[in-house]
Amino acid sequence: MSLPLPDPLPRRINVGCGFDIRPGFLNVDGQGFHNPDIVADFTDLSFLPEGHFDYLLAQDVLEHIERDKVPPTLAGWARLLSPGGTIRLRVPSLMHLFDMLAQPQNQTAEAARSIMHLIFGTQAYKGDYHLAGFTPVLLHQFLLDAGLMLSRASILDNWLFEVEAKKTQKLVDPEDQIHHVYFDVLERPVDIGALGILPERLAAGLTYEQLKLEITGSDEYRFLKKYPRHLGPYRALMAQPNS
């Protein structure tokens, strides 16, 4: 760890920043050649004050940590957040990557090598190896175990989860609740159509529990309980006669 800490200490922190040095953030990285504000092992930030940061950013970081270190690392990051603070993560989605490998257009050695690069990392230097992978249920459980409630979720470039979670026991914003229940029940980000309709229904009196019950009664949920998840995108096609 390199010291001293900036004074005043920013209220936002960019963990594992690499070359993405952000103004107004405490930029922390394990590699000195990235020229962060602090050089430190981002799996152990116990030297930073508890509850100080309102926002923690960790893009393309958790996959570089040994699998058994992911839960305690997330818990340590959550310790840094103020009550109601937000953590934003970007991590690879193994299911999306495996689906990419299976696509007809990727059935060449060159395409497979490119996707393997995404799965296992650049491997250009120590610390640039991917040691962990994520599925929706794993990511969601890791967040819950750290005392964080998922409040936003999306897929970037068809293979990266981008999620936000809040240090809280209960989400009150309707859009937060919608994102959470979709990731919890259907294990995917909410679609734009549902996001356009459901906030008004929640505002009109639909409860979170009722929304969750509706989704667990959906055709999509029943399909996912019967068929492998990777077939989800082909649900409509499979429902056609003689398909």
Side-chain angles (χ1 to χ4, degrees), residues 100-112:
M100 289 171 65
L101 280 172
Q103 293 301 317
Q105 67 269 24
N106 291 327
Q107 299 309 302
T108 65
E110 182 179 1

Side-chain angles (χ1 to χ4, degrees), residues 90-213:
R90 187 168 71 195
V91 296
S93 165
L94 286 180
M95 289 183 177
H96 286 82
L97 286 164
F98 294 155
D99 187 58
M100 289 171 65
L101 280 172
Q103 293 301 317
Q105 67 269 24
N106 291 327
Q107 299 309 302
T108 65
E110 182 179 1
R113 277 194 295 268
S114 296
I115 298 169
M116 290 297 178
H117 171 104
L118 303 179
I119 296 174
F120 295 107
T122 304
Q123 303 187 3
Y125 55 86
K126 182 180 179 181
D128 199 27
Y129 289 69
H130 289 183
L131 305 176
F134 299 88
T135 66
V137 67
L138 270 177
L139 181 56
H140 194 204
Q141 191 61 55
F142 287 154
L143 291 169
L144 288 174
D145 290 345
L148 301 163
M149 294 283 286
L150 184 139
S151 57
R152 289 288 188 275
S154 62
I155 290 290
L156 177 66
D157 296 334
N158 295 316
W159 69 279
L160 284 164
F161 284 127
E162 284 199 317
V163 303
E164 288 187 359
K166 294 182 177 179
K167 187 176 181 178
T168 182
Q169 296 298 313
K170 184 177 181 180
L171 298 169
V172 296
D173 180 86
E175 287 198 14
D176 289 351
Q177 293 179 345
I178 294 164
H179 279 274
H180 183 90
V181 74
Y182 265 74
F183 212 79
D184 180 24
V185 176
L186 298 180
E187 299 179 15
R188 66 168 176 84
V190 61
D191 51 277
I192 295 176
L195 199 56
I197 296 171
L198 291 176
E200 290 186 4
R201 294 189 60 204
L202 287 168
L206 181 72
T207 67
Y208 176 86
E209 291 74 19
Q210 290 170 335
L211 175 59
K212 187 172 183 177
L213 189 61

Side-chain angles (χ1 to χ4, degrees), residues 56 71 77 85-86 104 136 147 173 208 213 227 238:
L56 186 151
W77 294 352
T86 297
D173 180 86
Y208 176 86
L213 189 61
Y227 297 102
M238 292 174 66

